[in-house]
Structures are given as structure tokens and as C-alpha cells.
Amino acid sequence: MPRYAMVIDTRKCTGCQSCTVACRVHNKLPVDMIYNPVTTHGPVGKFPHVRMTHIPSLCMHCDVSPCVDACPTGASQQREDGIVWVEAEKCVGCKACVMACPYGARVSNHEEGTVQKCNFCKDDRVDQGKLPWCVQTCHQKARVFGDIEDENSEVFKLVNGSKNVGRLLEELGTEPFVYYLY
């Protein structure tokens, strides 16, 4: 069984938002919902040495998922391959998972009365052997997706072969499976 993870190379990300747009279109999200915003920090420095950093964020598909534990109905679930998802039919929209997620990765769909989030495009992409839409559309190749337990995968090599790799809020002990290269 694979253990899926994503690596985001902030040195390659240009902040173009193609990942955000692809996600929004694929998931048919209302205007007020977004699963993977890109935050820009900067510009920093003094001309001609000015730089900006773009930080894409999404559900971290944590190994220790406080959102799953907080869900009173069992709608928030985690598959054996690590993908955290929400079963809409069980979700009552109580937002307990929204409050439990330290990454702000869950959004309330007011029209449907449920909570939604990134699920790595599990049903129609990953389960079909394809890449999630955000990875597929990243023309800078700043996003890499794969099995982190496969020593031959690019994800494994990037995480284990770089000194400049980290995860957001590691100190919380959630064991996120989205890694950042910086």
C-alpha cells in the first residue's frame, strides 16, 4: 500500500495560481471556496536583489489528523494510503473539523451545509493512477506527488535527499505529509 505525499518546491513556485484554478474548476467550487490558496511573501530586499516567496497551502493529509478525531459523525476519514477526506453524506456541517485543523485547510460549503477540503483528487485522479490536478497543471513543476515509501519515487528522493526540506507546524505532532523545499 502506498503512502501518498506531496513536495512543494517554493524555489520553483512563481505564484501563478494555476494549481488553485485547476482545483477550483475540477471541484466545481463556489466563488467563496478555495482548497489550496497560494500566499505570497515579499517583495523583500533591495534592488536589484529583490525576491518573493510563494507558499501554496492545502490539506496536509496528516498521519495524526486532529480533524478526523474531532468529527462526531465519522464523515472525516483517512484511507490506508494516508489520504484524508470527507464523506459528504455523513457530514452535518458542525465545523468541529474546521476548528480542529491547525492548517486552516477545511472550508464550509454554506450551500450544501457540509465541510469540504482537498482530497488529492483521490477518486478520479489518484485512484486511476493519475496525478492530482494541482500537480498536473503546475508548469514550473513546483509540485511533486507520489509514494513517499517508495525509495525510487521522486517524492522519497526529494524529502530524504535535501537539507532544505520542512513541514508546516511540525511541532504540533500531526505528522503532515506535505513537505516544502526552500
Side-chain angles (χ1 to χ4, degrees), residues 114-165:
T114 61
V115 172
Q116 295 174 237
K117 59 173 283 308
C118 163
N119 64 14
F120 280 157
C121 301
K122 67 178 180 61
D123 294 324
D124 63 334
R125 300 295 295 175
V126 173
D127 290 351
Q128 306 303 318
K130 300 175 185 174
L131 295 172
W133 283 111
C134 61
V135 176
Q136 181 72 35
T137 60
C138 182
H139 55 83
Q140 297 299 323
K141 306 296 181 212
R143 289 178 181 241
V144 179
F145 180 80
D147 181 0
I148 196 162
E149 294 179 352
D150 177 0
E151 293 181 9
N152 296 313
S153 74
E154 190 174 355
V155 167
F156 180 90
K157 292 173 184 174
L158 288 170
V159 169
N160 293 292
S162 176
K163 295 177 188 171
N164 299 325
V165 65

mmCIF file of all heavy atoms in Angstrom, residues 114-165:
data_model
loop_
_atom_site.group_PDB
_atom_site.id
_atom_site.type_symbol
_atom_site.label_atom_id
_atom_site.label_comp_id
_atom_site.label_asym_id
_atom_site.label_seq_id
_atom_site.Cartn_x
_atom_site.Cartn_y
_atom_site.Cartn_z
ATOM 1 N N THR A 114 -22.147 21.412 4.336
ATOM 2 C CA THR A 114 -21.090 20.448 4.640
ATOM 3 C C THR A 114 -19.736 21.145 4.686
ATOM 4 O O THR A 114 -19.617 22.307 4.324
ATOM 5 C CB THR A 114 -21.018 19.337 3.568
ATOM 6 O OG1 THR A 114 -20.728 19.938 2.305
ATOM 7 C CG2 THR A 114 -22.312 18.551 3.489
ATOM 8 N N VAL A 115 -18.756 20.402 5.129
ATOM 9 C CA VAL A 115 -17.374 20.869 5.114
ATOM 10 C C VAL A 115 -16.652 20.109 4.005
ATOM 11 O O VAL A 115 -16.885 18.926 3.794
ATOM 12 C CB VAL A 115 -16.700 20.634 6.478
ATOM 13 C CG1 VAL A 115 -15.208 20.929 6.418
ATOM 14 C CG2 VAL A 115 -17.369 21.488 7.549
ATOM 15 N N GLN A 116 -15.786 20.811 3.296
ATOM 16 C CA GLN A 116 -15.039 20.204 2.194
ATOM 17 C C GLN A 116 -13.556 20.536 2.323
ATOM 18 O O GLN A 116 -13.177 21.433 3.075
ATOM 19 C CB GLN A 116 -15.582 20.726 0.862
ATOM 20 C CG GLN A 116 -17.010 20.327 0.588
ATOM 21 C CD GLN A 116 -17.546 20.983 -0.665
ATOM 22 O OE1 GLN A 116 -18.549 21.665 -0.606
ATOM 23 N NE2 GLN A 116 -16.882 20.780 -1.780
ATOM 24 N N LYS A 117 -12.731 19.804 1.553
ATOM 25 C CA LYS A 117 -11.288 20.011 1.596
ATOM 26 C C LYS A 117 -10.614 19.290 0.446
ATOM 27 O O LYS A 117 -11.242 18.494 -0.250
ATOM 28 C CB LYS A 117 -10.721 19.490 2.914
ATOM 29 C CG LYS A 117 -11.009 18.006 3.115
ATOM 30 C CD LYS A 117 -10.325 17.416 4.302
ATOM 31 C CE LYS A 117 -8.895 17.141 4.108
ATOM 32 N NZ LYS A 117 -8.505 16.365 2.946
ATOM 33 N N CYS A 118 -9.354 19.540 0.279
ATOM 34 C CA CYS A 118 -8.539 18.816 -0.699
ATOM 35 C C CYS A 118 -8.508 17.336 -0.321
ATOM 36 O O CYS A 118 -8.312 16.989 0.844
ATOM 37 C CB CYS A 118 -7.113 19.375 -0.685
ATOM 38 S SG CYS A 118 -5.887 18.300 -1.449
ATOM 39 N N ASN A 119 -8.676 16.486 -1.330
ATOM 40 C CA ASN A 119 -8.541 15.042 -1.092
ATOM 41 C C ASN A 119 -7.543 14.423 -2.075
ATOM 42 O O ASN A 119 -7.638 13.239 -2.386
ATOM 43 C CB ASN A 119 -9.894 14.343 -1.138
ATOM 44 C CG ASN A 119 -10.556 14.406 -2.493
ATOM 45 O OD1 ASN A 119 -9.928 14.753 -3.494
ATOM 46 N ND2 ASN A 119 -11.832 14.079 -2.540
ATOM 47 N N PHE A 120 -6.616 15.246 -2.557
ATOM 48 C CA PHE A 120 -5.618 14.825 -3.544
ATOM 49 C C PHE A 120 -6.281 14.283 -4.815
ATOM 50 O O PHE A 120 -5.694 13.457 -5.511
ATOM 51 C CB PHE A 120 -4.667 13.768 -2.975
ATOM 52 C CG PHE A 120 -3.548 14.269 -2.113
ATOM 53 C CD1 PHE A 120 -2.961 13.413 -1.189
ATOM 54 C CD2 PHE A 120 -3.047 15.550 -2.209
ATOM 55 C CE1 PHE A 120 -1.897 13.835 -0.385
ATOM 56 C CE2 PHE A 120 -1.993 15.981 -1.420
ATOM 57 C CZ PHE A 120 -1.426 15.118 -0.503
ATOM 58 N N CYS A 121 -7.506 14.715 -5.099
ATOM 59 C CA CYS A 121 -8.249 14.235 -6.284
ATOM 60 C C CYS A 121 -8.289 12.708 -6.295
ATOM 61 O O CYS A 121 -8.065 12.058 -7.317
ATOM 62 C CB CYS A 121 -7.629 14.760 -7.571
ATOM 63 S SG CYS A 121 -7.559 16.556 -7.704
ATOM 64 N N LYS A 122 -8.584 12.130 -5.143
ATOM 65 C CA LYS A 122 -8.457 10.685 -4.939
ATOM 66 C C LYS A 122 -9.277 9.829 -5.892
ATOM 67 O O LYS A 122 -8.783 8.845 -6.418
ATOM 68 C CB LYS A 122 -8.779 10.309 -3.490
ATOM 69 C CG LYS A 122 -10.221 10.513 -3.076
ATOM 70 C CD LYS A 122 -10.442 10.064 -1.642
ATOM 71 C CE LYS A 122 -11.874 10.255 -1.221
ATOM 72 N NZ LYS A 122 -12.861 9.504 -1.993
ATOM 73 N N ASP A 123 -10.537 10.179 -6.120
ATOM 74 C CA ASP A 123 -11.422 9.302 -6.883
ATOM 75 C C ASP A 123 -11.111 9.251 -8.371
ATOM 76 O O ASP A 123 -11.001 8.176 -8.951
ATOM 77 C CB ASP A 123 -12.887 9.721 -6.691
ATOM 78 C CG ASP A 123 -13.350 9.515 -5.260
ATOM 79 O OD1 ASP A 123 -12.909 8.534 -4.640
ATOM 80 O OD2 ASP A 123 -14.132 10.340 -4.763
ATOM 81 N N ASP A 124 -10.995 10.394 -8.985
ATOM 82 C CA ASP A 124 -10.860 10.400 -10.441
ATOM 83 C C ASP A 124 -9.442 10.668 -10.931
ATOM 84 O O ASP A 124 -9.209 10.683 -12.131
ATOM 85 C CB ASP A 124 -11.826 11.413 -11.064
ATOM 86 C CG ASP A 124 -11.540 12.821 -10.637
ATOM 87 O OD1 ASP A 124 -10.989 13.015 -9.557
ATOM 88 O OD2 ASP A 124 -11.881 13.745 -11.391
ATOM 89 N N ARG A 125 -8.501 10.820 -10.043
ATOM 90 C CA ARG A 125 -7.116 11.018 -10.476
ATOM 91 C C ARG A 125 -6.215 9.957 -9.839
ATOM 92 O O ARG A 125 -5.711 9.076 -10.516
ATOM 93 C CB ARG A 125 -6.625 12.432 -10.114
ATOM 94 C CG ARG A 125 -7.408 13.575 -10.738
ATOM 95 C CD ARG A 125 -7.310 13.658 -12.229
ATOM 96 N NE ARG A 125 -5.951 13.958 -12.648
ATOM 97 C CZ ARG A 125 -5.567 13.990 -13.913
ATOM 98 N NH1 ARG A 125 -6.421 13.761 -14.879
ATOM 99 N NH2 ARG A 125 -4.317 14.243 -14.243
ATOM 100 N N VAL A 126 -5.993 10.049 -8.537
ATOM 101 C CA VAL A 126 -5.034 9.160 -7.865
ATOM 102 C C VAL A 126 -5.452 7.697 -7.987
ATOM 103 O O VAL A 126 -4.629 6.840 -8.312
ATOM 104 C CB VAL A 126 -4.857 9.573 -6.384
ATOM 105 C CG1 VAL A 126 -3.997 8.571 -5.636
ATOM 106 C CG2 VAL A 126 -4.233 10.961 -6.310
ATOM 107 N N ASP A 127 -6.716 7.403 -7.756
ATOM 108 C CA ASP A 127 -7.178 6.016 -7.863
ATOM 109 C C ASP A 127 -7.108 5.489 -9.294
ATOM 110 O O ASP A 127 -7.151 4.278 -9.516
ATOM 111 C CB ASP A 127 -8.612 5.876 -7.336
ATOM 112 C CG ASP A 127 -8.688 6.045 -5.819
ATOM 113 O OD1 ASP A 127 -7.630 6.090 -5.161
ATOM 114 O OD2 ASP A 127 -9.819 6.138 -5.300
ATOM 115 N N GLN A 128 -6.958 6.376 -10.255
ATOM 116 C CA GLN A 128 -6.822 5.993 -11.664
ATOM 117 C C GLN A 128 -5.362 6.022 -12.111
ATOM 118 O O GLN A 128 -5.069 5.911 -13.308
ATOM 119 C CB GLN A 128 -7.640 6.952 -12.547
ATOM 120 C CG GLN A 128 -9.091 7.085 -12.159
ATOM 121 C CD GLN A 128 -9.839 5.768 -12.154
ATOM 122 O OE1 GLN A 128 -9.669 4.953 -13.037
ATOM 123 N NE2 GLN A 128 -10.647 5.551 -11.141
ATOM 124 N N GLY A 129 -4.444 6.230 -11.151
ATOM 125 C CA GLY A 129 -3.022 6.259 -11.481
ATOM 126 C C GLY A 129 -2.555 7.584 -12.056
ATOM 127 O O GLY A 129 -1.474 7.659 -12.640
ATOM 128 N N LYS A 130 -3.359 8.632 -11.880
ATOM 129 C CA LYS A 130 -3.015 9.953 -12.405
ATOM 130 C C LYS A 130 -2.613 10.881 -11.262
ATOM 131 O O LYS A 130 -2.903 10.629 -10.104
ATOM 132 C CB LYS A 130 -4.216 10.554 -13.141
ATOM 133 C CG LYS A 130 -4.691 9.718 -14.305
ATOM 134 C CD LYS A 130 -5.955 10.324 -14.893
ATOM 135 C CE LYS A 130 -6.527 9.444 -15.990
ATOM 136 N NZ LYS A 130 -7.815 9.963 -16.465
ATOM 137 N N LEU A 131 -1.985 11.987 -11.619
ATOM 138 C CA LEU A 131 -1.582 12.991 -10.639
ATOM 139 C C LEU A 131 -2.769 13.887 -10.275
ATOM 140 O O LEU A 131 -3.646 14.128 -11.111
ATOM 141 C CB LEU A 131 -0.472 13.870 -11.214
ATOM 142 C CG LEU A 131 0.850 13.178 -11.499
ATOM 143 C CD1 LEU A 131 1.789 14.117 -12.247
ATOM 144 C CD2 LEU A 131 1.491 12.688 -10.211
ATOM 145 N N PRO A 132 -2.795 14.420 -9.043
ATOM 146 C CA PRO A 132 -3.815 15.410 -8.704
ATOM 147 C C PRO A 132 -3.743 16.594 -9.673
ATOM 148 O O PRO A 132 -2.673 16.899 -10.211
ATOM 149 C CB PRO A 132 -3.427 15.848 -7.282
ATOM 150 C CG PRO A 132 -2.632 14.708 -6.738
ATOM 151 C CD PRO A 132 -1.902 14.138 -7.916
ATOM 152 N N TRP A 133 -4.874 17.261 -9.886
ATOM 153 C CA TRP A 133 -4.924 18.361 -10.856
ATOM 154 C C TRP A 133 -3.915 19.456 -10.537
ATOM 155 O O TRP A 133 -3.304 20.019 -11.450
ATOM 156 C CB TRP A 133 -6.331 18.946 -10.936
ATOM 157 C CG TRP A 133 -7.243 18.093 -11.725
ATOM 158 C CD1 TRP A 133 -8.307 17.362 -11.271
ATOM 159 C CD2 TRP A 133 -7.186 17.840 -13.134
ATOM 160 N NE1 TRP A 133 -8.896 16.675 -12.288
ATOM 161 C CE2 TRP A 133 -8.228 16.949 -13.458
ATOM 162 C CE3 TRP A 133 -6.343 18.260 -14.157
ATOM 163 C CZ2 TRP A 133 -8.465 16.497 -14.747
ATOM 164 C CZ3 TRP A 133 -6.580 17.805 -15.452
ATOM 165 C CH2 TRP A 133 -7.623 16.942 -15.735
ATOM 166 N N CYS A 134 -3.707 19.783 -9.272
ATOM 167 C CA CYS A 134 -2.778 20.864 -8.930
ATOM 168 C C CYS A 134 -1.351 20.523 -9.349
ATOM 169 O O CYS A 134 -0.593 21.397 -9.752
ATOM 170 C CB CYS A 134 -2.847 21.201 -7.439
ATOM 171 S SG CYS A 134 -2.405 19.840 -6.338
ATOM 172 N N VAL A 135 -1.002 19.247 -9.285
ATOM 173 C CA VAL A 135 0.330 18.798 -9.700
ATOM 174 C C VAL A 135 0.407 18.775 -11.224
ATOM 175 O O VAL A 135 1.375 19.245 -11.820
ATOM 176 C CB VAL A 135 0.646 17.406 -9.113
ATOM 177 C CG1 VAL A 135 1.992 16.888 -9.620
ATOM 178 C CG2 VAL A 135 0.618 17.446 -7.596
ATOM 179 N N GLN A 136 -0.633 18.251 -11.844
ATOM 180 C CA GLN A 136 -0.684 18.134 -13.301
ATOM 181 C C GLN A 136 -0.552 19.496 -13.986
ATOM 182 O O GLN A 136 0.092 19.617 -15.017
ATOM 183 C CB GLN A 136 -2.004 17.469 -13.713
ATOM 184 C CG GLN A 136 -2.164 17.261 -15.199
ATOM 185 C CD GLN A 136 -1.262 16.169 -15.734
ATOM 186 O OE1 GLN A 136 -1.015 15.185 -15.052
ATOM 187 N NE2 GLN A 136 -0.785 16.331 -16.939
ATOM 188 N N THR A 137 -1.151 20.525 -13.418
ATOM 189 C CA THR A 137 -1.173 21.834 -14.077
ATOM 190 C C THR A 137 -0.015 22.745 -13.693
ATOM 191 O O THR A 137 0.113 23.826 -14.248
ATOM 192 C CB THR A 137 -2.489 22.578 -13.777
ATOM 193 O OG1 THR A 137 -2.602 22.764 -12.368
ATOM 194 C CG2 THR A 137 -3.678 21.822 -14.307
ATOM 195 N N CYS A 138 0.837 22.333 -12.783
ATOM 196 C CA CYS A 138 1.948 23.193 -12.363
ATOM 197 C C CYS A 138 3.030 23.195 -13.439
ATOM 198 O O CYS A 138 3.831 22.267 -13.543
ATOM 199 C CB CYS A 138 2.527 22.728 -11.033
ATOM 200 S SG CYS A 138 3.866 23.791 -10.450
ATOM 201 N N HIS A 139 3.048 24.250 -14.233
ATOM 202 C CA HIS A 139 4.011 24.308 -15.342
ATOM 203 C C HIS A 139 5.443 24.506 -14.883
ATOM 204 O O HIS A 139 6.381 24.248 -15.628
ATOM 205 C CB HIS A 139 3.609 25.386 -16.360
ATOM 206 C CG HIS A 139 3.434 26.732 -15.765
ATOM 207 N ND1 HIS A 139 4.476 27.575 -15.529
ATOM 208 C CD2 HIS A 139 2.311 27.371 -15.334
ATOM 209 C CE1 HIS A 139 4.024 28.687 -14.983
ATOM 210 N NE2 HIS A 139 2.721 28.585 -14.856
ATOM 211 N N GLN A 140 5.652 24.935 -13.659
ATOM 212 C CA GLN A 140 7.006 25.090 -13.121
ATOM 213 C C GLN A 140 7.516 23.807 -12.465
ATOM 214 O O GLN A 140 8.631 23.757 -11.981
ATOM 215 C CB GLN A 140 7.046 26.234 -12.097
ATOM 216 C CG GLN A 140 6.714 27.593 -12.671
ATOM 217 C CD GLN A 140 7.689 28.007 -13.745
ATOM 218 O OE1 GLN A 140 8.883 27.741 -13.653
ATOM 219 N NE2 GLN A 140 7.191 28.644 -14.783
ATOM 220 N N LYS A 141 6.650 22.805 -12.382
ATOM 221 C CA LYS A 141 6.979 21.534 -11.730
ATOM 222 C C LYS A 141 7.383 21.750 -10.276
ATOM 223 O O LYS A 141 8.277 21.078 -9.744
ATOM 224 C CB LYS A 141 8.079 20.771 -12.481
ATOM 225 C CG LYS A 141 7.778 20.546 -13.944
ATOM 226 C CD LYS A 141 6.580 19.666 -14.129
ATOM 227 C CE LYS A 141 6.297 19.439 -15.605
ATOM 228 N NZ LYS A 141 4.900 19.269 -15.903
ATOM 229 N N ALA A 142 6.698 22.701 -9.625
ATOM 230 C CA ALA A 142 6.969 23.000 -8.224
ATOM 231 C C ALA A 142 6.288 22.004 -7.293
ATOM 232 O O ALA A 142 6.628 21.926 -6.120
ATOM 233 C CB ALA A 142 6.511 24.424 -7.885
ATOM 234 N N ARG A 143 5.323 21.257 -7.805
ATOM 235 C CA ARG A 143 4.615 20.251 -7.005
ATOM 236 C C ARG A 143 4.975 18.854 -7.505
ATOM 237 O O ARG A 143 4.947 18.594 -8.699
ATOM 238 C CB ARG A 143 3.104 20.433 -7.106
ATOM 239 C CG ARG A 143 2.604 21.655 -6.378
ATOM 240 C CD ARG A 143 1.102 21.782 -6.568
ATOM 241 N NE ARG A 143 0.586 22.958 -5.904
ATOM 242 C CZ ARG A 143 -0.313 22.924 -4.930
ATOM 243 N NH1 ARG A 143 -0.814 21.783 -4.524
ATOM 244 N NH2 ARG A 143 -0.726 24.038 -4.375
ATOM 245 N N VAL A 144 5.304 17.990 -6.553
ATOM 246 C CA VAL A 144 5.635 16.605 -6.873
ATOM 247 C C VAL A 144 4.775 15.729 -5.963
ATOM 248 O O VAL A 144 4.681 15.983 -4.759
ATOM 249 C CB VAL A 144 7.128 16.310 -6.648
ATOM 250 C CG1 VAL A 144 7.455 14.866 -6.966
ATOM 251 C CG2 VAL A 144 7.987 17.263 -7.478
ATOM 252 N N PHE A 145 4.156 14.707 -6.526
ATOM 253 C CA PHE A 145 3.252 13.836 -5.782
ATOM 254 C C PHE A 145 3.663 12.393 -5.987
ATOM 255 O O PHE A 145 4.081 12.003 -7.080
ATOM 256 C CB PHE A 145 1.819 14.040 -6.292
ATOM 257 C CG PHE A 145 0.798 13.197 -5.603
ATOM 258 C CD1 PHE A 145 0.294 13.560 -4.371
ATOM 259 C CD2 PHE A 145 0.333 12.033 -6.190
ATOM 260 C CE1 PHE A 145 -0.658 12.790 -3.735
ATOM 261 C CE2 PHE A 145 -0.620 11.250 -5.561
ATOM 262 C CZ PHE A 145 -1.119 11.632 -4.325
ATOM 263 N N GLY A 146 3.556 11.593 -4.940
ATOM 264 C CA GLY A 146 3.861 10.183 -5.097
ATOM 265 C C GLY A 146 3.908 9.447 -3.778
ATOM 266 O O GLY A 146 3.523 9.970 -2.728
ATOM 267 N N ASP A 147 4.413 8.236 -3.841
ATOM 268 C CA ASP A 147 4.507 7.334 -2.698
ATOM 269 C C ASP A 147 5.813 7.608 -1.958
ATOM 270 O O ASP A 147 6.893 7.306 -2.465
ATOM 271 C CB ASP A 147 4.452 5.889 -3.193
ATOM 272 C CG ASP A 147 4.524 4.864 -2.074
ATOM 273 O OD1 ASP A 147 4.618 5.236 -0.887
ATOM 274 O OD2 ASP A 147 4.496 3.653 -2.401
ATOM 275 N N ILE A 148 5.702 8.138 -0.775
ATOM 276 C CA ILE A 148 6.893 8.507 -0.005
ATOM 277 C C ILE A 148 7.621 7.282 0.547
ATOM 278 O O ILE A 148 8.770 7.374 0.965
ATOM 279 C CB ILE A 148 6.548 9.499 1.117
ATOM 280 C CG1 ILE A 148 7.820 10.166 1.623
ATOM 281 C CG2 ILE A 148 5.761 8.814 2.227
ATOM 282 C CD1 ILE A 148 7.597 11.424 2.386
ATOM 283 N N GLU A 149 6.972 6.136 0.519
ATOM 284 C CA GLU A 149 7.626 4.917 0.997
ATOM 285 C C GLU A 149 8.359 4.167 -0.112
ATOM 286 O O GLU A 149 9.058 3.203 0.157
ATOM 287 C CB GLU A 149 6.600 4.021 1.695
ATOM 288 C CG GLU A 149 6.086 4.663 2.975
ATOM 289 C CD GLU A 149 5.050 3.820 3.694
ATOM 290 O OE1 GLU A 149 4.604 2.793 3.152
ATOM 291 O OE2 GLU A 149 4.684 4.223 4.806
ATOM 292 N N ASP A 150 8.209 4.615 -1.337
ATOM 293 C CA ASP A 150 8.899 4.012 -2.486
ATOM 294 C C ASP A 150 10.237 4.727 -2.673
ATOM 295 O O ASP A 150 10.278 5.888 -3.081
ATOM 296 C CB ASP A 150 8.035 4.146 -3.738
ATOM 297 C CG ASP A 150 8.711 3.621 -4.991
ATOM 298 O OD1 ASP A 150 9.870 3.149 -4.921
ATOM 299 O OD2 ASP A 150 8.072 3.703 -6.065
ATOM 300 N N GLU A 151 11.322 4.034 -2.391
ATOM 301 C CA GLU A 151 12.653 4.635 -2.464
ATOM 302 C C GLU A 151 13.019 5.114 -3.861
ATOM 303 O O GLU A 151 13.938 5.907 -4.024
ATOM 304 C CB GLU A 151 13.704 3.662 -1.944
ATOM 305 C CG GLU A 151 13.577 3.381 -0.473
ATOM 306 C CD GLU A 151 14.634 2.429 0.047
ATOM 307 O OE1 GLU A 151 15.595 2.103 -0.696
ATOM 308 O OE2 GLU A 151 14.512 2.009 1.205
ATOM 309 N N ASN A 152 12.323 4.651 -4.869
ATOM 310 C CA ASN A 152 12.591 5.076 -6.236
ATOM 311 C C ASN A 152 11.739 6.264 -6.668
ATOM 312 O O ASN A 152 11.931 6.793 -7.764
ATOM 313 C CB ASN A 152 12.365 3.910 -7.209
ATOM 314 C CG ASN A 152 13.349 2.783 -6.952
ATOM 315 O OD1 ASN A 152 14.540 3.021 -6.802
ATOM 316 N ND2 ASN A 152 12.842 1.573 -6.870
ATOM 317 N N SER A 153 10.795 6.681 -5.828
ATOM 318 C CA SER A 153 9.908 7.789 -6.202
ATOM 319 C C SER A 153 10.618 9.129 -6.036
ATOM 320 O O SER A 153 11.519 9.289 -5.202
ATOM 321 C CB SER A 153 8.627 7.774 -5.364
ATOM 322 O OG SER A 153 8.881 8.209 -4.043
ATOM 323 N N GLU A 154 10.193 10.085 -6.839
ATOM 324 C CA GLU A 154 10.771 11.419 -6.757
ATOM 325 C C GLU A 154 10.466 12.063 -5.404
ATOM 326 O O GLU A 154 11.300 12.770 -4.839
ATOM 327 C CB GLU A 154 10.237 12.293 -7.901
ATOM 328 C CG GLU A 154 10.968 13.605 -8.028
ATOM 329 C CD GLU A 154 10.540 14.407 -9.239
ATOM 330 O OE1 GLU A 154 9.739 13.922 -10.057
ATOM 331 O OE2 GLU A 154 11.017 15.546 -9.357
ATOM 332 N N VAL A 155 9.283 11.800 -4.859
ATOM 333 C CA VAL A 155 8.910 12.337 -3.544
ATOM 334 C C VAL A 155 9.893 11.843 -2.482
ATOM 335 O O VAL A 155 10.400 12.624 -1.680
ATOM 336 C CB VAL A 155 7.456 11.951 -3.184
ATOM 337 C CG1 VAL A 155 7.154 12.220 -1.728
ATOM 338 C CG2 VAL A 155 6.476 12.694 -4.074
ATOM 339 N N PHE A 156 10.162 10.546 -2.455
ATOM 340 C CA PHE A 156 11.098 9.975 -1.489
ATOM 341 C C PHE A 156 12.465 10.629 -1.630
ATOM 342 O O PHE A 156 13.089 11.022 -0.640
ATOM 343 C CB PHE A 156 11.212 8.460 -1.683
ATOM 344 C CG PHE A 156 12.168 7.805 -0.728
ATOM 345 C CD1 PHE A 156 11.719 7.330 0.494
ATOM 346 C CD2 PHE A 156 13.522 7.675 -1.029
ATOM 347 C CE1 PHE A 156 12.596 6.733 1.391
ATOM 348 C CE2 PHE A 156 14.409 7.082 -0.143
ATOM 349 C CZ PHE A 156 13.945 6.609 1.076
ATOM 350 N N LYS A 157 12.937 10.736 -2.862
ATOM 351 C CA LYS A 157 14.269 11.297 -3.106
ATOM 352 C C LYS A 157 14.363 12.756 -2.683
ATOM 353 O O LYS A 157 15.366 13.182 -2.105
ATOM 354 C CB LYS A 157 14.635 11.149 -4.576
ATOM 355 C CG LYS A 157 14.861 9.697 -4.981
ATOM 356 C CD LYS A 157 15.068 9.549 -6.472
ATOM 357 C CE LYS A 157 15.193 8.092 -6.861
ATOM 358 N NZ LYS A 157 15.265 7.900 -8.311
ATOM 359 N N LEU A 158 13.318 13.537 -2.956
ATOM 360 C CA LEU A 158 13.336 14.950 -2.576
ATOM 361 C C LEU A 158 13.321 15.130 -1.062
ATOM 362 O O LEU A 158 14.067 15.943 -0.516
ATOM 363 C CB LEU A 158 12.152 15.693 -3.198
ATOM 364 C CG LEU A 158 12.225 15.930 -4.701
ATOM 365 C CD1 LEU A 158 10.890 16.442 -5.222
ATOM 366 C CD2 LEU A 158 13.351 16.900 -5.039
ATOM 367 N N VAL A 159 12.471 14.379 -0.375
ATOM 368 C CA VAL A 159 12.349 14.522 1.077
ATOM 369 C C VAL A 159 13.595 14.029 1.793
ATOM 370 O O VAL A 159 14.066 14.655 2.745
ATOM 371 C CB VAL A 159 11.086 13.786 1.594
ATOM 372 C CG1 VAL A 159 11.087 13.690 3.118
ATOM 373 C CG2 VAL A 159 9.828 14.486 1.102
ATOM 374 N N ASN A 160 14.143 12.932 1.324
ATOM 375 C CA ASN A 160 15.287 12.335 2.015
ATOM 376 C C ASN A 160 16.639 12.800 1.504
ATOM 377 O O ASN A 160 17.656 12.524 2.126
ATOM 378 C CB ASN A 160 15.192 10.808 1.929
ATOM 379 C CG ASN A 160 14.014 10.296 2.704
ATOM 380 O OD1 ASN A 160 13.979 10.361 3.921
ATOM 381 N ND2 ASN A 160 12.999 9.817 1.992
ATOM 382 N N GLY A 161 16.652 13.533 0.388
ATOM 383 C CA GLY A 161 17.926 13.946 -0.176
ATOM 384 C C GLY A 161 18.203 15.432 -0.097
ATOM 385 O O GLY A 161 19.187 15.901 -0.651
ATOM 386 N N SER A 162 17.353 16.173 0.596
ATOM 387 C CA SER A 162 17.540 17.620 0.668
ATOM 388 C C SER A 162 17.733 18.083 2.103
ATOM 389 O O SER A 162 17.063 17.602 3.019
ATOM 390 C CB SER A 162 16.318 18.329 0.068
ATOM 391 O OG SER A 162 16.451 19.718 0.209
ATOM 392 N N LYS A 163 18.623 19.019 2.276
ATOM 393 C CA LYS A 163 18.824 19.634 3.596
ATOM 394 C C LYS A 163 17.763 20.696 3.848
ATOM 395 O O LYS A 163 17.463 21.022 4.988
ATOM 396 C CB LYS A 163 20.206 20.271 3.681
ATOM 397 C CG LYS A 163 21.333 19.288 3.605
ATOM 398 C CD LYS A 163 22.667 20.006 3.619
ATOM 399 C CE LYS A 163 23.782 19.020 3.346
ATOM 400 N NZ LYS A 163 25.055 19.669 3.136
ATOM 401 N N ASN A 164 17.219 21.241 2.782
ATOM 402 C CA ASN A 164 16.269 22.347 2.890
ATOM 403 C C ASN A 164 14.836 21.869 2.697
ATOM 404 O O ASN A 164 14.116 22.343 1.838
ATOM 405 C CB ASN A 164 16.602 23.428 1.860
ATOM 406 C CG ASN A 164 17.977 24.003 2.083
ATOM 407 O OD1 ASN A 164 18.427 24.141 3.206
ATOM 408 N ND2 ASN A 164 18.664 24.319 0.999
ATOM 409 N N VAL A 165 14.425 20.905 3.505
ATOM 410 C CA VAL A 165 13.060 20.395 3.444
ATOM 411 C C VAL A 165 12.436 20.515 4.834
ATOM 412 O O VAL A 165 13.109 20.338 5.849
ATOM 413 C CB VAL A 165 13.021 18.929 2.943
ATOM 414 C CG1 VAL A 165 13.705 17.981 3.907
ATOM 415 C CG2 VAL A 165 11.610 18.477 2.659
#
